[in-house]
Amino acid sequence: MIRSYDELRAFALTLNLPMVEDGTGWGRPCLRAHGKMWVWWSPYVDAAVFPCDFDEREMLLEADPETFQLHPHYAPHKFILVKAGHIDPAWARPRLIARWREMAPKRWLKNWDAEQGR
């Protein structure tokens, strides 16, 4: 299980996705993909922030409150907080990749996918 931003950062970098760089967001370290915040730790609670639609967020909060939480700051946004020490790499991997793909400029992604044989 991932317990800190440093561990989450190291895990995200093992995905070997291009156009990823260290940066800051709201004065805190983050990873940026395609110039946008991609991986970060909440400044409000000891948890990672992951994109999540509202319906799935409600389901996750109800199904596993030991792992997932919501801070009022994130309530109007499509994010879920995953508590430190509860971040399963197998759960995080597809979400990070999907978010990275969503953030990529479409033309760039099409060319990159072609180069990768996808």
Side-chain angles (χ1 to χ4, degrees), residues 11 19-20 24 30 33 36 41 45 52-53 63 65 93 102 105:
F11 173 74
M19 306 296 290
V20 171
T24 58
C30 71
K36 303 171 189 164
W41 209 257
V45 294
C52 184
D53 69 42
R93 176 178 280 110
E102 289 170 8

Side-chain angles (χ1 to χ4, degrees), residues 14 17 19 22 39 48 57 71-72 78 81 83-84 91 96:
T14 67
L17 298 170
M19 306 296 290
D22 283 303
V39 173
R57 179 171 76 186
H71 182 276
K78 293 181 177 182
L81 300 173
K83 296 176 185 176
W91 182 89
L96 291 173

